[in-house]
């Protein structure tokens, strides 16, 4: 969840580190810092708050260092303060280290270090690593790191520099993402590809259990036993512009408006008559969908489609709950893991645990070469490009497109169904053309403190996703619920102070949700409906109505979720909140 950036070369390292950190802001953070090797000594600067606070503290300082590391921290151990911010150093100021992840046995290591006279200054697990490296240093940073990592338990990535070897960075990946950037006379390390795009598009994602020794004139990658590895570099097609706001106020708004294109790009990969899915769902006893957050909601939609067209039972499970369960899984099962980044810790580890029990692992990811991509038996890609806003939008609809293509892949109606899917990008564009009307409604509802979202059948996951978007970025309490369950508890919440958002396209449960809307109105609740254009029944019932173009029942989630994304965005923006970097959240959750 934290961001790591490192540079070694011949140019001023500070400029590279600060640019890289700015491009890692979307991952979520509460403090930032850099460590440079300046004239043979360590120079460390770190600040609580946004990166601009770090930049202010460095303003006017002429730092000519050509090697350094930087970090954005999202607190897991210890409060948010400068002392706990990264980089961390040893007591003699000869080593500096930045770290992402969790060292599970750090208390044991800390006690051991303190018995040896080490002054432990922070509340973090990270500090234990840098002290271990300093105490065990034998004249070679790589050899020392290989020795120290045998003492660590957990999932982590870290990068370390030393005044003793000033033109060298050693970095480690074990469970948290880390990418090498390849340059000419300079090399880079980062948590994520966007941080590297201003400097290079040639990258090598490190695999779990790999260490890189980075120098200006080259690099070497080893396994944890010190064996030299050969790895192919990747060329990244994204450019810097694709990761910029492009005239929009926020990345989130830009990414919402990119959905017609990203849906089109994703669908094109699966519509060819010659294209064959790597697996046939009908070959398995059941499908176990493993995901978190927005990806979990996409999986819930996919469940309906897979069961309808492939006739295979589907169970959708929160990854954080599955890993430690005794779920009976064997070679007859397909595990379908969904993760935008391909690095989500809960999803990865749960999916791999099921794979170890014999299941086939199929993943849907947006990042080629990510850990989950490499670890899976098969991978299906969403072609959404970089998503910088923490709240997922375009990757959700891209995941839906892949799930639909997978569900119908062996249906006799496949071609006609895919023809229907091809209409979706244009219809999403039509929904976006009403953005200003949705903005007006968002401002009208912005003063409410609680909102109930209701949906049935395919619209139930959409209600969940709409509620998640609102709470993520506006900090308004929102609850998504299956409309039929309202009478079993949530109806007690209904009053004039708690509006209800009802997702009500004309589908097989249309009459049922109209009845649910009547129940809300009978208790003086306000209802914001989302339904088809020209639906006079819905218009008559609802306090306010957001209209989307009519579409086949199966495809309604593509259209009904978009206004809910906009509704949440405009409400948060009106409230003056940090839409792209909501508090306490990170784009890629790489810790359990």
């Amino acid at each position: 969840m934290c961001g790591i950036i490192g540079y070694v070369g011949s140019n001023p390292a500070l400029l590279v580190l600060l640019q890289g950190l700015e491009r890692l802001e979307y991952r979520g953070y509460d403090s930032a810092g850099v460590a440079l090797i300046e004239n043979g000594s360590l120079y460390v600067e770190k600040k609580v708050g946004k990166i601009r606070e770090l930049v202010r503290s460095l303003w006017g300082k002429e730092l000519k260092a050509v090697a350094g590391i930087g970090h954005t921290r999202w607190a897991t151990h210890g409060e948010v303060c400068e002392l706990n911010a990264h980089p961390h150093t040893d007591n003699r100021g000869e080593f500096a280290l930045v770290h992402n992840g969790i060292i599970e046995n750090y208390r044991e290591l800390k006690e051991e270090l303190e018995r040896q006279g080490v002054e432990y200054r922070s509340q973090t697990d990270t500090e234990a690593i840098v002290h271990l490296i300093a105490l065990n240093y034998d004249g070679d940073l790589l050899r020392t790191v290989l020795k120290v990592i045998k003492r660590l338990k957990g999932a982590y990535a870290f990068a370390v520099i030393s005044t003793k070897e000033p033109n060298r960075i050693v970095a480690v990946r074990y469970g948290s993402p880390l990418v090498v950037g390849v340059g000419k006379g300079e090399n880079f390390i980062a948590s994520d590809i966007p941080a590297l795009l201003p400097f290079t598009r040639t990258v090598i994602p490190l695999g779990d259990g790999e260490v890189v020794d980075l120098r200006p004139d080259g690099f070497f990658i080893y396994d944890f036993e010190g064996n030299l590895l050969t790895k192919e570099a990747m060329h990244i097609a994204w450019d810097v512009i694709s990761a910029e706001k492009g005239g929009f106020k926020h990345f989130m708004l830009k990414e919402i408006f990119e959905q017609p294109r990203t849906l089109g790009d994703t669908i094109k990969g699966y519509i060819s008559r010659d294209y064959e899915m790597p697996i046939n769902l009908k070959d398995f006893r059941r499908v176990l969908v493993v995901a978190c957050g927005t990806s979990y909601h996409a999986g819930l939609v996919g469940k309906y489609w897979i069961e309808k067209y492939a006739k295979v039972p589907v169970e959708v499970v929160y990854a954080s709950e599955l890993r430690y369960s005794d779920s009976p899984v064997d070679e007859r099962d397909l595990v379908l893991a969904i993760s935008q980044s391909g690095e989500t810790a809960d999803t990865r580890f749960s999916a791999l645990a099921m794979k170890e029990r014999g299941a086939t692992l199929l993943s849907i990811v947006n990042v080629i070469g990510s850990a989950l991509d490499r670890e899976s038996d098969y991978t299906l890609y969403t072609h959404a490009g970089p998503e910088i806003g923490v709240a997922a939008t375009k990757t959700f609809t891209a995941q839906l497109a892949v799930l639909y293509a997978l569900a119908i892949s062996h249906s006799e109606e496949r071609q006609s169904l895919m023809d229907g899917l091809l209409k979706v990008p244009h219809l999403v564009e039509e929904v976006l053309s009403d953005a200003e009307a949705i903005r007006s409604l968002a401002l009208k509802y912005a003063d409410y403190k609680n909102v109930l979202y209701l949906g049935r059948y395919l619209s139930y996951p959409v209600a969940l996703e709409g509620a998640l978007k609102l709470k993520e970025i506006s900090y308004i309490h929102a609850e998504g619920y299956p409309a039929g369950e309202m009478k079993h508890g949530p109806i007690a919440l209904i009053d004039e102070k708690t509006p209800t958002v009802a997702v009500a396209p004309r589908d097989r449960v249309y009459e049922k949700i109209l009845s649910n809307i009547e129940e809300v109105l009978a208790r003086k609740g306000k209802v914001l409906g989302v339904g088809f254009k020209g639906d006079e029944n819905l218009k008559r019932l609802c306090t306010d109505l957001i209209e989307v173009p009519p579409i086949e029942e199966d495809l309604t989630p593509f259209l009904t979720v978009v206004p809910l994304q906009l509704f949440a965005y405009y409400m948060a923006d009106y409230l003056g909140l940090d839409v792209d970097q909501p508090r306490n959240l990170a784009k890629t959750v790489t810790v359990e």
Side-chain angles (χ1 to χ4, degrees):
M1 297 169 76
C2 312
I4 290 173
I5 182 74
Y7 173 80
V8 58
S10 57
N11 292 311
L14 182 59
L15 296 178
V16 175
L17 300 182
L18 292 177
Q19 282 192 63
L21 290 178
E22 286 175 348
R23 294 174 190 281
L24 291 171
E25 282 190 300
Y26 69 94
R27 293 173 65 89
Y29 71 105
D30 46 54
S31 58
V34 294
L36 302 161
I37 299 177
E38 182 78 10
N39 298 322
S41 300
L42 274 182
Y43 177 88
V44 177
E45 190 81 41
K46 45 191 184 178
K47 290 292 178 184
V48 170
K50 297 299 183 184
I51 289 168
R52 59 177 173 267
E53 301 302 324
L54 178 64
V55 173
R56 285 193 188 109
S57 69
L58 291 163
W59 189 259
K61 296 180 180 177
E62 294 187 13
L63 298 168
K64 299 177 181 178
V66 293
I69 52 178
H71 190 265
T72 52
R73 177 181 187 245
W74 189 89
T76 57
H77 289 74
E79 64 188 51
V80 177
C81 63
E82 283 188 19
L83 197 62
N84 289 334
H86 297 218
H88 287 281
T89 62
D90 69 302
N91 290 163
R92 300 177 66 149
E94 296 175 334
F95 298 85
L97 182 143
V98 291
H99 161 234
N100 183 14
I102 292 177
I103 306 301
E104 295 173 355
N105 62 331
Y106 92 96
R107 289 184 180 86
E108 169 193 325
L109 296 172
K110 178 183 177 183
E111 291 171 2
E112 176 187 318
L113 290 163
E114 289 176 333
R115 286 196 297 269
Q116 296 181 59
V118 169
E119 179 190 353
Y120 207 96
R121 293 167 293 198
S122 76
Q123 302 165 309
T124 70
D125 54 343
T126 303
E127 193 179 345
I129 313 173
V130 72
H131 289 311
L132 282 173
I133 291 172
L135 285 176
N136 287 278
Y137 183 70
D138 63 2
D140 184 274
L141 189 57
L142 172 66
R143 193 164 56 229
T144 303
V145 167
L146 288 170
K147 187 188 307 180
V148 166
I149 55 180
K150 291 179 169 58
R151 301 289 315 279
L152 307 179
K153 296 179 181 177
Y156 52 84
F158 68 79
V160 60
I161 57 174
S162 173
T163 57
K164 295 177 178 292
E165 301 178 64
N167 291 312
R168 191 180 196 185
I169 298 174
V170 175
V172 179
R173 172 186 174 142
Y174 187 72
S176 287
L178 212 54
V179 182
V180 175
V182 183
K184 292 182 179 179
E186 59 184 5
N187 289 294
F188 313 81
I189 194 79
S191 296
D192 210 347
I193 290 169
L196 302 175
L197 290 179
F199 318 110
T200 181
R201 288 202 229 166
T202 303
V203 304
I204 301 176
L206 292 182
D208 275 349
E210 293 182 357
V211 182
V212 63
D213 182 2
L214 212 64
R215 303 167 188 255
D217 56 353
F219 60 90
F220 300 94
I221 298 174
Y222 302 86
D223 64 19
F224 275 17
E225 300 304 315
N227 299 308
L228 186 63
L229 304 176
T230 301
K231 302 197 70 168
E232 293 292 324
M234 297 167 48
H235 180 75
I236 300 303
W238 311 338
D239 56 20
V240 177
I241 300 301
S242 68
E244 297 290 355
K245 293 178 185 174
F248 287 91
K249 187 175 182 180
H250 295 98
F251 282 113
M252 183 180 177
L253 186 61
K254 170 181 177 271
E255 288 156 4
I256 290 172
F257 273 84
E258 284 178 340
Q259 286 175 110
R261 179 181 59 78
T262 56
L263 275 166
D265 290 346
T266 299
I267 292 166
K268 285 174 191 173
Y270 299 97
I271 61 172
S272 168
R273 292 178 184 271
D274 300 325
Y275 177 80
E276 287 190 16
M277 283 287 171
I279 54 95
N280 186 339
L281 295 170
K282 296 178 182 180
D283 291 340
F284 297 93
R285 172 182 64 172
R286 67 165 175 166
V287 177
L288 186 64
V289 178
V290 182
C292 304
T294 289
S295 296
Y296 175 83
H297 299 156
L300 288 173
V301 177
K303 168 184 167 69
Y304 291 111
W305 290 333
I306 292 170
E307 290 182 340
K308 177 177 179 178
Y309 292 107
K311 307 298 182 187
V312 180
V314 179
E315 185 179 353
V316 187
V317 187
Y318 281 115
S320 56
E321 291 296 316
L322 179 64
R323 187 180 181 192
Y324 302 103
S325 76
D326 297 314
S327 179
V329 175
D330 59 33
E331 66 280 356
R332 296 172 293 174
D333 298 314
L334 175 69
V335 171
L336 175 55
I338 309 174
S339 168
Q340 180 276 137
S341 65
E343 302 288 352
T344 309
D346 287 319
T347 303
R348 279 188 58 215
F349 298 144
S350 296
L352 290 174
M354 298 305 106
K355 184 179 178 181
E356 287 174 4
R357 297 181 196 178
T360 299
L361 176 55
L362 170 68
S363 294
I364 297 175
V365 302
N366 190 47
V367 181
I368 297 171
S370 59
L372 193 56
D373 179 17
R374 298 193 305 273
E375 294 157 350
S376 299
D377 296 307
Y378 307 100
T379 305
L380 302 177
Y381 300 107
T382 55
H383 298 283
E387 185 175 65
I388 305 302
V390 167
T393 52
K394 64 178 180 175
T395 52
F396 174 73
T397 50
Q399 287 169 351
L400 292 185
V402 175
L403 285 163
Y404 188 74
L406 175 64
I408 67 173
S409 59
H410 288 85
S411 166
E412 293 180 1
E413 309 166 80
R414 176 181 176 274
Q415 199 55 51
S416 62
L417 293 169
M418 287 302 289
D419 289 343
L421 185 61
L422 279 169
K423 297 184 296 185
V424 166
H426 173 71
L427 294 175
V428 169
E429 200 163 5
E430 190 175 330
V431 174
L432 291 169
S433 69
D434 288 332
E436 189 55 38
I438 297 168
R439 179 179 176 275
S440 298
L441 287 173
L443 272 54
K444 178 178 178 179
Y445 285 83
D447 291 332
Y448 290 99
K449 303 303 180 188
N450 301 282
V451 183
L452 182 64
Y453 283 69
L454 297 179
R456 283 177 175 262
Y457 186 53
L458 287 165
S459 296
Y460 164 50
V462 173
L464 290 175
E465 179 61 11
L468 178 62
K469 286 293 150 288
L470 190 67
K471 70 181 82 170
E472 277 182 318
I473 62 172
S474 73
Y475 317 146
I476 293 170
H477 173 250
E479 187 83 27
Y481 230 81
E485 291 296 303
M486 186 177 64
K487 295 185 290 294
H488 300 282
I491 199 166
L493 300 173
I494 301 298
D495 60 21
E496 62 275 9
K497 296 180 181 179
T498 303
T500 296
V501 177
V503 187
R506 280 189 175 272
D507 57 13
R508 67 182 67 181
V509 291
Y510 173 70
E511 298 295 338
K512 296 291 185 183
I513 198 162
L514 290 187
S515 297
N516 297 133
I517 292 171
E518 294 272 19
E519 291 167 345
V520 172
L521 295 172
R523 287 153 183 84
K524 299 182 179 179
K526 293 181 173 64
V527 177
L528 170 60
V530 180
F532 287 166
K533 287 182 178 176
D535 188 336
E536 294 302 322
N537 289 330
L538 202 55
K539 188 176 291 186
R540 175 179 54 82
L541 283 176
C542 294
T543 313
D544 295 289
L545 181 63
I546 297 173
E547 296 181 305
V548 301
I551 195 170
E552 295 92 328
E553 175 182 89
D554 281 347
L555 304 177
T556 54
F558 289 102
L559 304 190
T560 54
V561 76
V562 174
L564 299 185
Q565 295 170 346
L566 285 169
F567 182 74
Y569 167 79
Y570 285 124
M571 192 176 291
D573 183 47
Y574 172 74
L575 294 172
L577 300 171
D578 193 340
V579 174
D580 287 331
Q581 298 166 44
R583 69 187 182 201
N584 303 331
L585 295 180
K587 183 64 179 173
T588 305
V589 182
T590 55
V591 296
E592 288 189 87

